[in-house]
Amino acid sequence: MSKSDPTNKKRKAISDFKLSTLLEITNAINNNLTESELFVLFEDILKNQLNIGKTVIYLSDNDVWNVVMRYGVSKTDLMINIEQELKKITDITVVNTARVGNSSSFDVVIPVFHQSKTLAYMLLGDLDEDARKPSPIIKHLGFIQTLANITAVAVQNKRLEEEHLEQERMLQELKMASNMQAMLLPKTLPNNDYLKAFAYYKPHQEVGGDFYDIIEINEDETVFCIADVSGKGMSAAIMMANFQANVRANVKVEHDLKKVMQNLNNLVWENADGERYITCFLARYNHKTRALHYINAAHPAAIILDGKSPNFLSSGAVGIGMFEEMPILDEGQTNLSPNSLMLFFTDGITETTNTKGEQFQEKEMLMALDHLFDLETTQVNQQFMKHLDKFRGKMPYADDVALVSCRFI
C-alpha cells in the first residue's frame, strides 16, 4: 500500500459524508419537513457532526430579521444590529477582531442570497487559535455555506408557497363572500300603485357586510332595512346573512320596532360577543295611514324629500351588538305626503373622499339632493351617483356603495 492511501481514504470518507449529508438535507426538503424540523436537522449536522462550537442564523421575513436557529450562544452574542453590522457583508467574511460589532463574539459570517437579495446571515464562532488541528469552521467552510444556502432558500420557498396558498384561500373566501353578499340583495323591488323602489349597488374589491331589503309584510305595510356589518370577508358576509334572516323573521311577527331591535341586538351580541357590530336603518311604513316609523342604529340617516327642506331620519340607537343591552333606543315617526321620496344608503357614500381628502358630508349631500324630488323616480339614483362621482374625481371608492330610492305614491 502506498503512503497516500490513508489520506485518500480520509478524503473519500469526508467526501462520502458530505454527499450523504446533502442527500439527507435534500430528502428532508422533498419530504416537506417543517421549517423548524429543517433547522433541527441543520443544527445536528453543524453541532454533532462537524463540531462547530456556536452558530446563529438570522433569516429575513419581509425585511424583519429573526433568529431561526442558534446554539452555544449567549444573550450577549445576540446583541447584533443587523443593519449596521452585517448589511455591508456580501461574501464569506472572517472577522479579524474575532467580534462582530461591539458585543458579540463570532469568527465567520456567511451571507445567504436569494434572487440578488440578502436572505440570511449565518454566524459561526469558537475558532481555537491555539489548537494544533485545523479549525472545523475553516475546514468545512465551503460545505457549510452550501448547506446554509440550500436550507435557507428551501425555507424561503416554503414560506412563499404558504403565502401563495394563503392568498389563494383568501381569494376563494372573498369570492364565496361576494356571492353570498349578492344573494342577500333582493332580485326585485316593489313597483306598484303605492310604492316604487330602485336600487344601485357597487361592490368594493374587499367584500364587506352591506345589505338592503324591502319586505312587504301585508297589504298595508312595508318594512325597509339597510345595514352594514363591521369588518370584511366571509365572516362579515355570514353574519349579515344570519342578520337578514332574523330581520325578516322578526318583522313578520313583531310589529313593535323597538322589540325587533332588542331581539336583533341580543342575536348579534350572542354571536359576536361585542367583537363585531351592525349599523342599521329599519323602518315600517303603513300605506293607508302614510305613517313611517323608524329606528336608526348608528347608520347614515335616511332622507325624506317632499319638495321642502330634506328630513334626515337620525333618531334611534347605538350600533346593534355594541352593548349587551342597548343604552338608547328611540323610535322616530314621520308622515309622508304623496309623491315623497326616501333615500337610504350605506357609509360607502358618506365616506367617499375627494382629492382634497374631504368626505361626502352635509354640504355636498344637500347639493346632491337638490332637484332630485322633481326627477322621474327611475333617474334619481343615476343623478345622485353622477354627483358623487363628480365629487370624488379620480379617487376610488373606499367601500361598497349601496343606494335605494323609494317613491311613495
Side-chain angles (χ1 to χ4, degrees):
M1 242 180 229
S2 65
K3 294 181 180 179
S4 61
D5 284 344
T7 303
N8 289 336
K9 287 182 179 181
K10 189 175 182 179
R11 288 177 178 172
K12 186 176 185 305
I14 293 173
S15 178
D16 290 344
F17 160 73
K18 291 181 178 179
L19 179 59
S20 64
T21 301
L22 286 173
L23 288 173
E24 185 179 11
I25 287 286
T26 302
N27 287 334
I29 294 170
N30 291 337
N31 290 330
N32 203 30
L33 261 66
T34 65
E35 178 177 325
S36 60
E37 289 172 334
L38 283 176
F39 281 120
V40 167
L41 175 59
F42 192 21
E43 178 180 331
D44 178 68
I45 294 169
L46 294 172
K47 183 179 181 180
N48 300 320
Q49 300 182 47
L50 296 180
N51 298 314
I52 306 301
K54 60 194 300 186
T55 303
V56 62
I57 297 178
Y58 292 91
L59 190 67
S60 175
D61 185 4
N62 294 321
D63 295 324
V64 176
W65 294 93
N66 298 309
V67 175
V68 292
M69 192 191 89
R70 65 171 180 169
Y71 69 87
V73 298
S74 65
K75 290 183 179 180
T76 302
D77 290 325
L78 298 176
M79 295 173 62
I80 296 174
N81 187 315
I82 303 294
E83 297 295 326
Q84 294 182 7
E85 301 176 32
L86 299 182
K87 272 296 186 72
K88 59 186 177 183
I89 297 176
T90 58
D91 203 350
I92 294 178
T93 301
V94 177
V95 185
N96 294 328
T97 61
R99 296 171 67 82
V100 174
N102 299 317
S103 57
S104 304
S105 55
F106 290 98
D107 304 291
V108 175
V109 179
I110 301 176
V112 177
F113 296 94
H114 183 54
Q115 297 180 348
S116 302
K117 186 176 180 180
T118 308
L119 175 61
Y121 290 103
M122 182 178 187
L123 285 70
L124 307 171
D126 280 1
L127 284 178
D128 187 352
E129 297 179 358
D130 297 326
R132 294 183 179 181
K133 294 182 179 181
S135 162
I137 294 177
I138 301 301
K139 184 178 179 180
H140 302 297
L141 192 54
F143 180 58
I144 294 171
Q145 182 186 33
T146 300
L147 292 178
N149 276 276
I150 292 173
T151 305
V153 171
V155 168
Q156 176 70 0
N157 288 337
K158 185 182 291 289
R159 289 182 177 182
L160 292 174
E161 182 180 0
E162 290 172 353
E163 288 178 7
H164 176 71
L165 291 174
E166 178 63 16
Q167 289 174 354
E168 287 293 322
R169 186 194 66 77
M170 291 177 65
L171 287 174
Q172 287 300 317
E173 179 180 298
L174 287 174
K175 184 177 180 180
M176 291 175 62
S178 178
N179 292 337
M180 181 179 293
Q181 188 174 12
M183 291 172 61
L184 297 179
L185 305 179
K187 298 295 185 292
T188 59
L189 294 175
N191 186 10
N192 48 49
D193 294 338
Y194 49 81
L195 176 65
K196 297 184 183 300
F198 297 89
Y200 174 89
Y201 177 68
K202 183 178 179 61
H204 191 254
Q205 291 180 345
E206 291 187 80
V207 177
D210 293 7
F211 100 97
Y212 58 85
D213 205 355
I214 300 179
I215 310 160
E216 294 182 285
I217 304 300
N218 51 51
E219 293 181 357
D220 299 330
E221 293 183 307
T222 301
V223 167
F224 305 88
C225 183
I226 189 164
D228 184 4
V229 175
S230 62
K232 305 284 185 183
M234 178 59 76
S235 59
I238 292 175
M239 187 172 181
M240 184 54 79
N242 188 32
F243 181 78
Q244 184 199 36
N246 279 276
V247 168
R248 282 181 164 262
N250 270 269
V251 298
K252 287 181 179 179
V253 297
E254 179 59 67
H255 188 272
D256 189 337
L257 288 183
K258 287 186 178 182
K259 290 184 179 180
V260 172
M261 277 292 184
Q262 289 171 342
N263 292 341
L264 294 174
N265 189 74
N266 292 338
L267 167 77
V268 175
W269 179 264
E270 289 175 3
N271 290 341
D273 198 23
E275 294 183 1
R276 286 184 184 269
Y277 63 90
I278 297 177
T279 67
C280 173
F281 173 79
L282 183 66
R284 182 188 291 267
Y285 176 66
N286 187 297
H287 311 300
K288 289 187 175 180
T289 65
R290 306 196 69 87
L292 181 79
H293 295 260
Y294 69 91
I295 296 177
N296 188 324
H299 199 80
I303 303 168
I304 300 295
L305 302 176
D306 57 6
K308 304 175 184 177
S309 298
N311 181 12
F312 290 82
L313 308 183
S314 56
S315 297
V318 297
I320 299 171
M322 285 184 173
F323 300 94
E324 186 173 4
E325 296 291 337
M326 302 186 89
I328 301 173
L329 187 54
D330 296 325
E331 180 179 313
Q333 177 183 350
T334 186
N335 290 328
L336 303 182
S337 58
N339 208 37
S340 293
L341 182 66
M342 180 171 73
L343 282 79
F344 52 95
F345 39 82
T346 57
D347 60 9
I349 286 181
T350 55
E351 293 180 359
T352 295
T353 59
N354 61 16
T355 54
K356 297 179 181 178
E358 301 167 334
Q359 290 189 331
F360 192 76
Q361 296 295 330
E362 184 175 355
K363 178 182 176 182
E364 288 294 332
M365 178 68 72
L366 291 174
M367 291 175 63
L369 297 175
D370 195 26
H371 302 305
L372 288 187
F373 174 74
D374 299 323
L375 293 177
E376 290 291 331
T377 311
T378 55
Q379 299 176 355
V380 170
N381 291 348
Q382 180 183 357
Q383 289 301 311
F384 185 94
M385 292 306 302
K386 184 177 180 180
H387 188 96
L388 182 64
D389 286 336
K390 183 179 179 181
F391 168 79
R392 70 182 178 90
K394 297 181 179 180
M395 296 297 292
Y397 288 108
D399 203 347
D400 296 351
V401 172
L403 169 66
V404 182
S405 58
C406 303
R407 180 79 72 176
F408 299 91
I409 310 303

mmCIF file with all atom_site columns, all heavy atoms in Angstrom, residues 59-73:
data_model
loop_
_atom_site.group_PDB
_atom_site.id
_atom_site.type_symbol
_atom_site.label_atom_id
_atom_site.label_alt_id
_atom_site.label_comp_id
_atom_site.label_asym_id
_atom_site.label_entity_id
_atom_site.label_seq_id
_atom_site.pdbx_PDB_ins_code
_atom_site.Cartn_x
_atom_site.Cartn_y
_atom_site.Cartn_z
_atom_site.occupancy
_atom_site.B_iso_or_equiv
_atom_site.pdbx_formal_charge
_atom_site.auth_seq_id
_atom_site.auth_comp_id
_atom_site.auth_asym_id
_atom_site.auth_atom_id
_atom_site.pdbx_PDB_model_num
ATOM 1   N N   . LEU A 1 59 ? -32.733 35.118 9.692  1.00 0.00 ? 59 LEU A N   1
ATOM 2   C CA  . LEU A 1 59 ? -33.454 34.968 8.430  1.00 0.00 ? 59 LEU A CA  1
ATOM 3   C C   . LEU A 1 59 ? -34.398 36.143 8.249  1.00 0.00 ? 59 LEU A C   1
ATOM 4   O O   . LEU A 1 59 ? -35.083 36.553 9.185  1.00 0.00 ? 59 LEU A O   1
ATOM 5   C CB  . LEU A 1 59 ? -34.237 33.657 8.418  1.00 0.00 ? 59 LEU A CB  1
ATOM 6   C CG  . LEU A 1 59 ? -34.859 33.232 7.080  1.00 0.00 ? 59 LEU A CG  1
ATOM 7   C CD1 . LEU A 1 59 ? -33.780 32.900 6.072  1.00 0.00 ? 59 LEU A CD1 1
ATOM 8   C CD2 . LEU A 1 59 ? -35.767 32.015 7.288  1.00 0.00 ? 59 LEU A CD2 1
ATOM 9   N N   . SER A 1 60 ? -34.425 36.680 7.029  1.00 0.00 ? 60 SER A N   1
ATOM 10  C CA  . SER A 1 60 ? -35.277 37.832 6.742  1.00 0.00 ? 60 SER A CA  1
ATOM 11  C C   . SER A 1 60 ? -36.707 37.391 6.444  1.00 0.00 ? 60 SER A C   1
ATOM 12  O O   . SER A 1 60 ? -36.940 36.450 5.688  1.00 0.00 ? 60 SER A O   1
ATOM 13  C CB  . SER A 1 60 ? -34.720 38.607 5.544  1.00 0.00 ? 60 SER A CB  1
ATOM 14  O OG  . SER A 1 60 ? -35.587 39.659 5.179  1.00 0.00 ? 60 SER A OG  1
ATOM 15  N N   . ASP A 1 61 ? -37.644 38.078 7.048  1.00 0.00 ? 61 ASP A N   1
ATOM 16  C CA  . ASP A 1 61 ? -39.063 37.871 6.769  1.00 0.00 ? 61 ASP A CA  1
ATOM 17  C C   . ASP A 1 61 ? -39.671 39.232 6.469  1.00 0.00 ? 61 ASP A C   1
ATOM 18  O O   . ASP A 1 61 ? -40.045 39.980 7.358  1.00 0.00 ? 61 ASP A O   1
ATOM 19  C CB  . ASP A 1 61 ? -39.753 37.222 7.969  1.00 0.00 ? 61 ASP A CB  1
ATOM 20  C CG  . ASP A 1 61 ? -41.213 36.871 7.693  1.00 0.00 ? 61 ASP A CG  1
ATOM 21  O OD1 . ASP A 1 61 ? -41.657 37.061 6.547  1.00 0.00 ? 61 ASP A OD1 1
ATOM 22  O OD2 . ASP A 1 61 ? -41.904 36.405 8.619  1.00 0.00 ? 61 ASP A OD2 1
ATOM 23  N N   . ASN A 1 62 ? -39.730 39.560 5.163  1.00 0.00 ? 62 ASN A N   1
ATOM 24  C CA  . ASN A 1 62 ? -40.187 40.888 4.736  1.00 0.00 ? 62 ASN A CA  1
ATOM 25  C C   . ASN A 1 62 ? -39.377 41.981 5.430  1.00 0.00 ? 62 ASN A C   1
ATOM 26  O O   . ASN A 1 62 ? -39.931 42.933 5.998  1.00 0.00 ? 62 ASN A O   1
ATOM 27  C CB  . ASN A 1 62 ? -41.679 41.068 5.023  1.00 0.00 ? 62 ASN A CB  1
ATOM 28  C CG  . ASN A 1 62 ? -42.534 40.139 4.189  1.00 0.00 ? 62 ASN A CG  1
ATOM 29  O OD1 . ASN A 1 62 ? -42.248 39.903 3.010  1.00 0.00 ? 62 ASN A OD1 1
ATOM 30  N ND2 . ASN A 1 62 ? -43.570 39.576 4.789  1.00 0.00 ? 62 ASN A ND2 1
ATOM 31  N N   . ASP A 1 63 ? -38.050 41.833 5.363  1.00 0.00 ? 63 ASP A N   1
ATOM 32  C CA  . ASP A 1 63 ? -37.089 42.808 5.899  1.00 0.00 ? 63 ASP A CA  1
ATOM 33  C C   . ASP A 1 63 ? -37.087 42.883 7.423  1.00 0.00 ? 63 ASP A C   1
ATOM 34  O O   . ASP A 1 63 ? -36.521 43.806 8.000  1.00 0.00 ? 63 ASP A O   1
ATOM 35  C CB  . ASP A 1 63 ? -37.338 44.209 5.306  1.00 0.00 ? 63 ASP A CB  1
ATOM 36  C CG  . ASP A 1 63 ? -37.088 44.239 3.807  1.00 0.00 ? 63 ASP A CG  1
ATOM 37  O OD1 . ASP A 1 63 ? -36.164 43.552 3.354  1.00 0.00 ? 63 ASP A OD1 1
ATOM 38  O OD2 . ASP A 1 63 ? -37.818 44.946 3.097  1.00 0.00 ? 63 ASP A OD2 1
ATOM 39  N N   . VAL A 1 64 ? -37.718 41.927 8.071  1.00 0.00 ? 64 VAL A N   1
ATOM 40  C CA  . VAL A 1 64 ? -37.627 41.800 9.523  1.00 0.00 ? 64 VAL A CA  1
ATOM 41  C C   . VAL A 1 64 ? -36.739 40.599 9.823  1.00 0.00 ? 64 VAL A C   1
ATOM 42  O O   . VAL A 1 64 ? -37.002 39.492 9.346  1.00 0.00 ? 64 VAL A O   1
ATOM 43  C CB  . VAL A 1 64 ? -39.010 41.604 10.173 1.00 0.00 ? 64 VAL A CB  1
ATOM 44  C CG1 . VAL A 1 64 ? -38.865 41.379 11.672 1.00 0.00 ? 64 VAL A CG1 1
ATOM 45  C CG2 . VAL A 1 64 ? -39.900 42.812 9.897  1.00 0.00 ? 64 VAL A CG2 1
ATOM 46  N N   . TRP A 1 65 ? -35.676 40.835 10.604 1.00 0.00 ? 65 TRP A N   1
ATOM 47  C CA  . TRP A 1 65 ? -34.702 39.779 10.843 1.00 0.00 ? 65 TRP A CA  1
ATOM 48  C C   . TRP A 1 65 ? -35.034 39.017 12.118 1.00 0.00 ? 65 TRP A C   1
ATOM 49  O O   . TRP A 1 65 ? -35.168 39.592 13.191 1.00 0.00 ? 65 TRP A O   1
ATOM 50  C CB  . TRP A 1 65 ? -33.298 40.378 10.936 1.00 0.00 ? 65 TRP A CB  1
ATOM 51  C CG  . TRP A 1 65 ? -32.847 40.964 9.632  1.00 0.00 ? 65 TRP A CG  1
ATOM 52  C CD1 . TRP A 1 65 ? -32.971 42.259 9.232  1.00 0.00 ? 65 TRP A CD1 1
ATOM 53  C CD2 . TRP A 1 65 ? -32.252 40.266 8.547  1.00 0.00 ? 65 TRP A CD2 1
ATOM 54  N NE1 . TRP A 1 65 ? -32.483 42.419 7.963  1.00 0.00 ? 65 TRP A NE1 1
ATOM 55  C CE2 . TRP A 1 65 ? -32.028 41.198 7.510  1.00 0.00 ? 65 TRP A CE2 1
ATOM 56  C CE3 . TRP A 1 65 ? -31.871 38.936 8.345  1.00 0.00 ? 65 TRP A CE3 1
ATOM 57  C CZ2 . TRP A 1 65 ? -31.444 40.856 6.301  1.00 0.00 ? 65 TRP A CZ2 1
ATOM 58  C CZ3 . TRP A 1 65 ? -31.291 38.587 7.135  1.00 0.00 ? 65 TRP A CZ3 1
ATOM 59  C CH2 . TRP A 1 65 ? -31.081 39.535 6.125  1.00 0.00 ? 65 TRP A CH2 1
ATOM 60  N N   . ASN A 1 66 ? -35.164 37.694 11.969 1.00 0.00 ? 66 ASN A N   1
ATOM 61  C CA  . ASN A 1 66 ? -35.494 36.838 13.101 1.00 0.00 ? 66 ASN A CA  1
ATOM 62  C C   . ASN A 1 66 ? -34.456 35.731 13.258 1.00 0.00 ? 66 ASN A C   1
ATOM 63  O O   . ASN A 1 66 ? -33.933 35.216 12.268 1.00 0.00 ? 66 ASN A O   1
ATOM 64  C CB  . ASN A 1 66 ? -36.876 36.187 12.902 1.00 0.00 ? 66 ASN A CB  1
ATOM 65  C CG  . ASN A 1 66 ? -37.987 37.215 12.813 1.00 0.00 ? 66 ASN A CG  1
ATOM 66  O OD1 . ASN A 1 66 ? -38.095 38.078 13.669 1.00 0.00 ? 66 ASN A OD1 1
ATOM 67  N ND2 . ASN A 1 66 ? -38.800 37.130 11.773 1.00 0.00 ? 66 ASN A ND2 1
ATOM 68  N N   . VAL A 1 67 ? -34.160 35.380 14.506 1.00 0.00 ? 67 VAL A N   1
ATOM 69  C CA  . VAL A 1 67 ? -33.270 34.250 14.776 1.00 0.00 ? 67 VAL A CA  1
ATOM 70  C C   . VAL A 1 67 ? -34.064 32.966 14.573 1.00 0.00 ? 67 VAL A C   1
ATOM 71  O O   . VAL A 1 67 ? -35.056 32.721 15.258 1.00 0.00 ? 67 VAL A O   1
ATOM 72  C CB  . VAL A 1 67 ? -32.718 34.308 16.218 1.00 0.00 ? 67 VAL A CB  1
ATOM 73  C CG1 . VAL A 1 67 ? -31.901 33.056 16.519 1.00 0.00 ? 67 VAL A CG1 1
ATOM 74  C CG2 . VAL A 1 67 ? -31.875 35.556 16.416 1.00 0.00 ? 67 VAL A CG2 1
ATOM 75  N N   . VAL A 1 68 ? -33.646 32.146 13.611 1.00 0.00 ? 68 VAL A N   1
ATOM 76  C CA  . VAL A 1 68 ? -34.368 30.908 13.308 1.00 0.00 ? 68 VAL A CA  1
ATOM 77  C C   . VAL A 1 68 ? -33.619 29.675 13.797 1.00 0.00 ? 68 VAL A C   1
ATOM 78  O O   . VAL A 1 68 ? -34.186 28.582 13.853 1.00 0.00 ? 68 VAL A O   1
ATOM 79  C CB  . VAL A 1 68 ? -34.648 30.791 11.792 1.00 0.00 ? 68 VAL A CB  1
ATOM 80  C CG1 . VAL A 1 68 ? -35.634 31.842 11.341 1.00 0.00 ? 68 VAL A CG1 1
ATOM 81  C CG2 . VAL A 1 68 ? -33.349 30.882 10.994 1.00 0.00 ? 68 VAL A CG2 1
ATOM 82  N N   . MET A 1 69 ? -32.326 29.837 14.132 1.00 0.00 ? 69 MET A N   1
ATOM 83  C CA  . MET A 1 69 ? -31.555 28.722 14.684 1.00 0.00 ? 69 MET A CA  1
ATOM 84  C C   . MET A 1 69 ? -30.406 29.269 15.510 1.00 0.00 ? 69 MET A C   1
ATOM 85  O O   . MET A 1 69 ? -29.761 30.240 15.104 1.00 0.00 ? 69 MET A O   1
ATOM 86  C CB  . MET A 1 69 ? -31.007 27.827 13.568 1.00 0.00 ? 69 MET A CB  1
ATOM 87  C CG  . MET A 1 69 ? -30.436 26.498 14.062 1.00 0.00 ? 69 MET A CG  1
ATOM 88  S SD  . MET A 1 69 ? -29.540 25.625 12.775 1.00 0.00 ? 69 MET A SD  1
ATOM 89  C CE  . MET A 1 69 ? -27.906 26.317 12.996 1.00 0.00 ? 69 MET A CE  1
ATOM 90  N N   . ARG A 1 70 ? -30.140 28.662 16.644 1.00 0.00 ? 70 ARG A N   1
ATOM 91  C CA  . ARG A 1 70 ? -28.998 29.080 17.452 1.00 0.00 ? 70 ARG A CA  1
ATOM 92  C C   . ARG A 1 70 ? -28.640 27.991 18.443 1.00 0.00 ? 70 ARG A C   1
ATOM 93  O O   . ARG A 1 70 ? -29.495 27.233 18.895 1.00 0.00 ? 70 ARG A O   1
ATOM 94  C CB  . ARG A 1 70 ? -29.301 30.374 18.215 1.00 0.00 ? 70 ARG A CB  1
ATOM 95  C CG  . ARG A 1 70 ? -30.405 30.240 19.255 1.00 0.00 ? 70 ARG A CG  1
ATOM 96  C CD  . ARG A 1 70 ? -30.512 31.466 20.125 1.00 0.00 ? 70 ARG A CD  1
ATOM 97  N NE  . ARG A 1 70 ? -31.575 31.327 21.119 1.00 0.00 ? 70 ARG A NE  1
ATOM 98  C CZ  . ARG A 1 70 ? -31.737 32.163 22.130 1.00 0.00 ? 70 ARG A CZ  1
ATOM 99  N NH1 . ARG A 1 70 ? -30.918 33.196 22.276 1.00 0.00 ? 70 ARG A NH1 1
ATOM 100 N NH2 . ARG A 1 70 ? -32.709 31.979 22.995 1.00 0.00 ? 70 ARG A NH2 1
ATOM 101 N N   . TYR A 1 71 ? -27.380 27.897 18.755 1.00 0.00 ? 71 TYR A N   1
ATOM 102 C CA  . TYR A 1 71 ? -26.920 27.032 19.837 1.00 0.00 ? 71 TYR A CA  1
ATOM 103 C C   . TYR A 1 71 ? -25.545 27.525 20.266 1.00 0.00 ? 71 TYR A C   1
ATOM 104 O O   . TYR A 1 71 ? -24.798 28.124 19.485 1.00 0.00 ? 71 TYR A O   1
ATOM 105 C CB  . TYR A 1 71 ? -26.879 25.553 19.428 1.00 0.00 ? 71 TYR A CB  1
ATOM 106 C CG  . TYR A 1 71 ? -25.815 25.201 18.410 1.00 0.00 ? 71 TYR A CG  1
ATOM 107 C CD1 . TYR A 1 71 ? -24.513 24.871 18.811 1.00 0.00 ? 71 TYR A CD1 1
ATOM 108 C CD2 . TYR A 1 71 ? -26.105 25.177 17.053 1.00 0.00 ? 71 TYR A CD2 1
ATOM 109 C CE1 . TYR A 1 71 ? -23.536 24.547 17.880 1.00 0.00 ? 71 TYR A CE1 1
ATOM 110 C CE2 . TYR A 1 71 ? -25.144 24.855 16.127 1.00 0.00 ? 71 TYR A CE2 1
ATOM 111 C CZ  . TYR A 1 71 ? -23.854 24.537 16.543 1.00 0.00 ? 71 TYR A CZ  1
ATOM 112 O OH  . TYR A 1 71 ? -22.887 24.228 15.620 1.00 0.00 ? 71 TYR A OH  1
ATOM 113 N N   . GLY A 1 72 ? -25.217 27.300 21.512 1.00 0.00 ? 72 GLY A N   1
ATOM 114 C CA  . GLY A 1 72 ? -23.923 27.691 22.039 1.00 0.00 ? 72 GLY A CA  1
ATOM 115 C C   . GLY A 1 72 ? -23.722 29.189 22.170 1.00 0.00 ? 72 GLY A C   1
ATOM 116 O O   . GLY A 1 72 ? -22.590 29.653 22.331 1.00 0.00 ? 72 GLY A O   1
ATOM 117 N N   . VAL A 1 73 ? -24.806 29.964 22.099 1.00 0.00 ? 73 VAL A N   1
ATOM 118 C CA  . VAL A 1 73 ? -24.680 31.416 22.141 1.00 0.00 ? 73 VAL A CA  1
ATOM 119 C C   . VAL A 1 73 ? -25.315 31.957 23.420 1.00 0.00 ? 73 VAL A C   1
ATOM 120 O O   . VAL A 1 73 ? -26.191 31.330 24.016 1.00 0.00 ? 73 VAL A O   1
ATOM 121 C CB  . VAL A 1 73 ? -25.335 32.082 20.915 1.00 0.00 ? 73 VAL A CB  1
ATOM 122 C CG1 . VAL A 1 73 ? -24.654 31.638 19.628 1.00 0.00 ? 73 VAL A CG1 1
ATOM 123 C CG2 . VAL A 1 73 ? -26.822 31.756 20.854 1.00 0.00 ? 73 VAL A CG2 1
#
